Amino acid sequence: MFLALLELRAARGRFLLMGSVVVLVAALVGIVSGFTTGLGDDTISALRRLPAAQLVFSSDARSDQFARSLLDEKTAAAWHADADTDTTPLGVSITRGTTDRGAEVDLAAFGIEPGSFLNPSVTDGDGLTDGKADSIVMSAGLADEGVRVGDTLVIDRLGIELRVVGLTGRSAYGHVPVAYVPLKTWQRIRFSTPGAPASSTAAIPGQFSALALRTPPAKASAATLDARHSTTTLTKEKAYEAAPGYTGERVTMNSIQVFLYLIAPLVVGAFFAVWTVQRQPELALLRALGASRRRLLAHTVLQAALVVVLGTAAGAVLAGAVGLLVGEQVPFSLPATTLVGTMCTVVAVGLAGTALTLRRVTGADPLTMLGANR
């Protein structure tokens, strides 16, 4: 260990340069991980908060189910009778509105039955009730954009007026803050003709995007019920893929992260490979003085571990600092568990890169110092 630390001190310029590269790689991995988690939360946090085990869509909607699927009350009643579990309709659509104080906002309208298990708990104001047809409970994201409890929100191009009665926790869908409205109000938003008078008496279809199941079907399998009612049942986690942009974003960000994991061992391995070649005479001298191969291995691994671990720790601090710096201005989320897991992976792949140099370390020939190459 003394020799390892002595070499680190003697060649501190080279080791600091290598450590700086590890810091940047670790920080970049942590930042990408934070954006991956943040973008995911900003896309599906509202779906994740739904107290439902499965979601039922129409069978003709094979992608973007929340936008394309439409079910009716007859199908919902049949599913409820056959599945023997709590079911409730759910409508999902993205729209835009303006408050009476001039705040223009985009919102993801979640249409629910006020008395159902999907009814969100509120942190301020009142919740949705059957007696308030045109009420709305907004998430904290809309409050950040200037909407307040008591405001009147007018849906653009439709003229539908909604009264903000409550505030719930932060949730989003498709990078848009969520607002919960009664199902009948959602149907007006979804099916009304733009430009038509708000008081129009045109028939509004009694349809919705999906049917939420509190627990999996108790009487029959979901596949059997799907075949019977021409529907498609997905677990809530599988339904995340139906959110706009969720799959593409995760594939992109995870691909970047994987490439960084591949770069880290190559960079570390290349550095220690060059360093080992330059130290061949010293390694041969140590072997000639009686140092065992195991001691030389421990010597090399210790140097690599110090560089990689300290560099990764500094990179973790830098990634955390970036998270604090950007705050809530961008979708960035880096929980401690995610950060620790990511950094442990960086350390593991970085140390794996040093394995490329171990054969040269153990192959140091003590006869080199005795003139065997002359």
Side-chain angles (χ1 to χ4, degrees):
M1 181 174 179
F2 174 75
L3 290 175
L5 295 177
L6 192 62
E7 282 191 339
L8 285 175
R9 181 179 178 183
R12 55 183 175 272
R14 278 178 275 186
F15 281 104
L16 284 174
L17 179 61
M18 184 59 218
S20 300
V21 174
V22 174
V23 169
L24 294 178
V25 171
L28 188 55
V29 171
I31 292 170
V32 170
S33 180
F35 279 118
T36 301
T37 304
L39 287 170
D41 289 344
D42 208 42
T43 303
I44 61 164
S45 59
L47 299 179
R48 189 179 289 139
R49 291 185 59 186
L50 291 177
Q54 295 179 333
L55 293 169
V56 180
F57 301 95
S58 59
S59 59
D60 57 346
R62 293 182 173 84
S63 63
D64 299 329
Q65 285 92 339
F66 288 108
R68 300 181 179 182
S69 171
L70 287 176
L71 297 175
D72 55 26
E73 296 175 354
K74 181 179 179 181
T75 303
W79 249 95
H80 178 74
D82 293 344
D84 191 26
T85 184
D86 289 342
T87 65
T88 186
L90 171 66
V92 178
S93 61
I94 296 178
T95 185
R96 183 175 178 82
T98 305
T99 68
D100 52 354
R101 293 187 298 107
E104 298 181 355
V105 294
D106 295 316
L107 64 148
F110 273 39
I112 60 174
E113 294 287 0
S116 70
F117 61 85
L118 295 184
N119 200 2
S121 58
V122 296
T123 57
D124 185 25
D126 301 321
L128 297 179
T129 61
D130 291 324
K132 298 179 180 178
D134 290 335
S135 58
I136 178 175
V137 171
M138 65 176 181
S139 67
L142 287 173
D144 294 341
E145 297 184 19
V147 184
R148 299 289 181 267
V149 175
D151 286 355
T152 298
L153 181 69
V154 180
I155 302 300
D156 291 355
R157 300 194 302 165
L158 299 178
I160 299 174
E161 295 186 359
L162 305 175
R163 182 76 171 175
V164 181
V165 298
L167 174 69
T168 187
R170 187 176 303 277
S171 60
Y173 171 79
H175 304 297
V176 179
V178 165
Y180 299 88
V181 298
L183 183 62
K184 292 188 179 300
T185 301
W186 177 85
Q187 290 167 345
R188 291 173 57 201
I189 295 173
R190 173 68 173 80
F191 299 111
S192 293
T193 302
S199 59
S200 175
T201 59
I204 300 296
Q207 296 176 315
F208 42 88
S209 304
L211 188 67
L213 310 181
R214 174 174 282 183
T215 58
K219 287 186 177 180
S221 68
T224 301
L225 296 175
D226 284 337
R228 185 182 304 169
H229 302 299
S230 298
T231 56
T232 300
T233 301
L234 301 177
T235 62
K236 184 173 67 173
E237 291 72 19
K238 188 68 175 176
Y240 294 164
E241 299 177 5
Y246 178 73
T247 301
E249 288 173 355
R250 289 194 67 82
V251 170
T252 300
M253 302 305 291
N254 287 335
S255 298
I256 296 174
Q257 202 164 359
V258 168
F259 276 109
L260 290 173
Y261 285 141
L262 295 176
I263 290 171
L266 294 177
V267 172
V268 175
F271 171 81
F272 279 99
V274 174
W275 176 243
T276 302
V277 170
Q278 294 176 342
R279 295 164 57 231
Q280 281 298 304
E282 289 82 355
L283 294 174
L285 176 60
L286 290 174
R287 289 284 290 127
L289 293 174
S292 65
R293 288 186 174 88
R294 178 177 298 179
R295 185 173 181 181
L296 293 183
L297 282 176
H299 171 83
T300 303
V301 171
L302 177 61
Q303 286 182 338
L306 287 173
V307 172
V308 173
V309 171
L310 293 179
T312 302
V317 173
L318 182 58
V322 170
L324 295 176
L325 182 64
V326 299
E328 296 180 355
Q329 300 175 7
V330 296
F332 186 94
S333 176
L334 192 59
T337 53
T338 303
L339 180 60
V340 170
T342 301
M343 294 302 109
C344 287
T345 305
V346 173
V347 170
V349 298
L351 291 178
T354 63
L356 301 173
T357 68
L358 297 182
R359 185 176 64 84
R360 283 188 172 273
V361 173
T362 58
D365 187 2
L367 294 178
T368 301
M369 300 309 298
L370 300 177
N373 59 339
R374 297 177 182 174

